[in-house]
């Protein structure tokens, strides 16, 4: 239902999905490694691909085709082929994993049971990482992410200092 809603709003989507989700088609139970099955309903493509384990994808932006992965099978020496949606998903997830790794070292999240606080700090970390990425593209100066965050905080404090409270007694 989510992918249908996104597609109706003009946004394509691709991602992994569990086979027991409501509305998912049925696939063969046991397949040999490298085998793939496609099911399409006109707007969505469901893919079941057997690699090291059973992988299931749902996409609204990919065709039902296989593509070369750029690697060779070490048993046969032939190029490895994977579904196009798997290759695209892996490429995009690499960037997400890298962003998660970078922010994990210096994230500002604190232990909290309030979901909205966790969400706020996650969004703050993401905004700072995006600013760092733009800074690296615009300026030749190479700066570590940790140093960028410190410099950002110092500049924000200088720009918006808190008024001093009088200790009148």
């Amino acid at each position: 239902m989510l992918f249908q809603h996104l597609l109706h709003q003009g946004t394509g989507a691709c991602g992994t999905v569990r086979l027991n989700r409501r509305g998912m088609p049925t696939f063969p139970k046991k397949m040999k490694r490298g085998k793939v099955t496609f099911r399409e309903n006109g707007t969505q493509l469901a893919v079941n691909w057997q690699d090291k384990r059973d992988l299931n994808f749902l996409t609204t932006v990919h065709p039902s085709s296989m593509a070369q992965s750029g690697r060779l099978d070490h048993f046969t020496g032939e190029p490895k082929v994977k579904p196009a949606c798997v290759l695209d998903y892996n490429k995009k997830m690499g960037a997400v994993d890298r962003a998660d790794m970078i922010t994990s070292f210096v994230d500002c999240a604190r232990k909290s049971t309030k979901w909205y606080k966790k969400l706020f700090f996650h969004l703050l970390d993401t905004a700072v990482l995006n600013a760092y990425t733009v800074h690296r593209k615009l300026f030749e100066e190479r700066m570590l992410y940790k140093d960028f965050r410190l410099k950002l905080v110092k500049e924000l404090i200088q720009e918006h200092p808190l008024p001093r409270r009088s200790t009148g007694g």
Side-chain angles (χ1 to χ4, degrees):
M1 288 179 63
L2 173 63
F3 277 32
Q4 285 290 89
H5 178 72
L6 289 172
L7 188 62
H8 182 70
Q9 299 296 320
T11 301
C14 174
T16 58
V17 65
R18 292 185 181 157
L19 280 180
N20 62 357
R21 297 290 298 190
R22 187 173 51 195
M24 282 295 292
T26 57
F27 289 102
K29 294 288 183 204
K30 299 282 183 181
M31 293 193 312
K32 293 188 180 204
R33 187 175 180 156
K35 297 296 179 188
V36 65
T37 306
F38 298 103
R39 300 276 193 266
E40 194 168 1
N41 70 358
T43 57
Q44 295 178 350
L45 175 68
V47 180
N48 178 255
W49 179 55
Q50 183 67 39
D51 191 31
K52 292 178 185 171
R53 59 187 176 91
D54 205 24
L55 298 172
N56 306 294
F57 287 84
L58 191 60
T59 180
T60 59
V61 293
H62 296 96
S64 57
S65 64
M66 302 292 281
Q68 290 188 3
S69 66
R71 297 182 181 223
L72 296 177
D73 188 327
H74 62 276
F75 291 118
T76 64
E78 295 178 8
K80 284 188 178 182
V81 291
K82 298 180 179 183
C85 61
V86 173
L87 292 173
D88 197 34
Y89 176 82
N90 287 339
K91 187 169 85 175
K92 301 293 192 292
M93 280 307 295
V96 172
D97 291 338
R98 192 168 35 258
D100 287 345
M101 181 190 69
I102 291 170
T103 57
S104 71
F105 295 124
V106 290
D107 67 352
C108 62
R110 299 286 179 251
K111 289 184 180 178
S112 171
T113 56
K114 306 290 186 196
W115 66 269
Y116 54 86
K117 289 182 183 179
K118 290 179 184 178
L119 178 63
F120 171 78
F121 285 117
H122 173 73
L123 293 175
L124 182 63
D125 285 333
T126 302
V128 172
L129 180 62
N130 289 343
Y132 173 69
T133 304
V134 169
H135 181 270
R136 285 188 61 180
K137 294 284 184 197
L138 293 178
F139 301 102
E140 296 296 319
E141 170 190 6
R142 291 289 170 192
M143 182 184 299
L144 295 175
Y145 180 61
K146 183 177 120 180
D147 297 334
F148 177 81
R149 286 177 66 101
L150 288 172
K151 185 176 178 181
L152 177 66
V153 169
K154 287 177 184 176
E155 288 181 11
L156 285 172
I157 290 172
Q158 286 175 353
E159 186 72 26
H160 306 285
L162 290 176
R164 295 193 177 259
R165 290 193 288 173
S166 62
T167 57

